[in-house]
Amino acid sequence: MNTKSRRIPDASSLPVTGGTNRDFIAVDDSGDFSYHRSEGELLAAFEYVGEAACIIDRNGSAYRLALDPNRRLILGPSIGPVEFHWLRHAWTDAQNAHPEGHRIRRFYPVTRDEAVTALFETLALEHGPETAEGSWFLDINGVASHPSNLEEIDRLLTHQDLLKQRVRVKDPFGHTYRPLRRRRHWYLRASAGSNLYIEIPAPVASR
């Protein structure tokens, strides 16, 4: 079983959801999830057929890798809709096993379509292309800013005491989070840890 962490290539824009520019999510043979902007990028990330346990497109269709007559990796035909309960449990297991790689924690989806949409959005925000400037919203004690990506938010929160200050983050898809710092080791200071972003109900707009 391959347990090495997978490098996810940089990208330059949010994924295109229509036309021929199909993007994919892959679950590898170690159970981790990765995001790929195109079929070519997906195939370049794997070395053998069994290395990808499941591949999912935005319609929720599942695929596996295959070999062409020249024994080159290709994307095989759809094997049907991805199984919802398996997908939700596999994603939860990946978050628990790789907490520093999957730091956006949304509410549990209740349907397969919700699960697929949430995965594409979350993985693209965590590891995919950078969003346009101003797509994120960060509020620290009533002071608002518009970071360009999650890494910039992490930098802005580095010296903030998340327990004592009111901090809210909204992603480009409209989901609101409360940052929570996770220490890598108990003997390190809190600022040395990584941030988890825990979804909370969106604030009700006042009339």
Side-chain angles (χ1 to χ4, degrees):
M1 179 175 289
N2 179 12
T3 59
K4 66 181 183 296
S5 61
R6 191 177 312 285
R7 180 181 65 84
I8 299 176
D10 293 333
S12 58
S13 60
L14 274 175
V16 178
T17 59
T20 59
N21 296 317
R22 299 170 64 201
D23 52 351
F24 298 89
I25 286 169
V27 187
D28 67 20
D29 56 1
S30 73
D32 199 11
F33 283 64
S34 56
Y35 169 77
H36 307 273
R37 295 177 301 170
S38 66
E39 184 173 332
E41 186 177 280
L42 168 74
L43 296 175
F46 294 95
E47 298 178 355
Y48 54 90
V49 169
E51 192 177 6
C54 184
I55 297 166
I56 307 163
D57 68 13
R58 285 185 176 266
N59 293 322
S61 297
Y63 303 81
R64 297 227 172 90
L65 295 176
L67 294 176
D68 69 8
N70 296 316
R71 300 196 63 77
R72 292 176 299 191
L73 280 180
I74 60 172
L75 184 65
S78 172
I79 57 176
V82 64
E83 207 281 317
F84 167 61
H85 295 289
W86 172 85
L87 181 64
R88 190 166 71 168
H89 284 296
W91 176 233
T92 301
D93 290 343
Q95 288 178 311
N96 292 334
H98 308 279
E100 294 188 2
H102 303 302
R103 299 186 295 115
I104 295 176
R105 305 300 176 91
R106 287 191 179 177
F107 298 132
Y108 282 114
V110 296
T111 67
R112 183 175 62 87
D113 289 346
E114 288 181 7
V116 171
T117 297
L119 275 171
F120 271 94
E121 292 180 356
T122 299
L123 288 167
L125 291 173
E126 289 178 335
H127 302 295
E130 293 186 357
T131 60
E133 183 177 355
S135 295
W136 290 83
F137 178 83
L138 173 64
D139 184 299
I140 303 175
N141 288 335
V143 178
S145 61
H146 295 276
S148 60
N149 53 46
L150 199 60
E151 290 184 356
E152 184 177 346
I153 295 174
D154 285 333
R155 289 194 296 271
L156 293 170
L157 296 180
T158 298
H159 301 294
Q160 300 290 335
D161 187 335
L162 300 182
L163 294 178
K164 294 182 179 179
Q165 303 197 54
R166 183 189 182 279
V167 181
R168 294 293 181 266
V169 176
K170 181 184 288 187
D171 71 23
F173 301 102
H175 296 259
T176 303
Y177 307 90
R178 175 177 60 85
L180 176 67
R181 189 155 293 137
R182 176 184 178 274
R183 295 194 184 196
R184 292 186 177 92
H185 299 286
W186 65 268
Y187 52 80
L188 295 176
R189 65 185 187 279
S191 60
S194 58
N195 296 326
L196 299 179
Y197 294 88
I198 312 300
E199 186 172 11
I200 60 174
V204 179
S206 58
R207 296 184 178 180

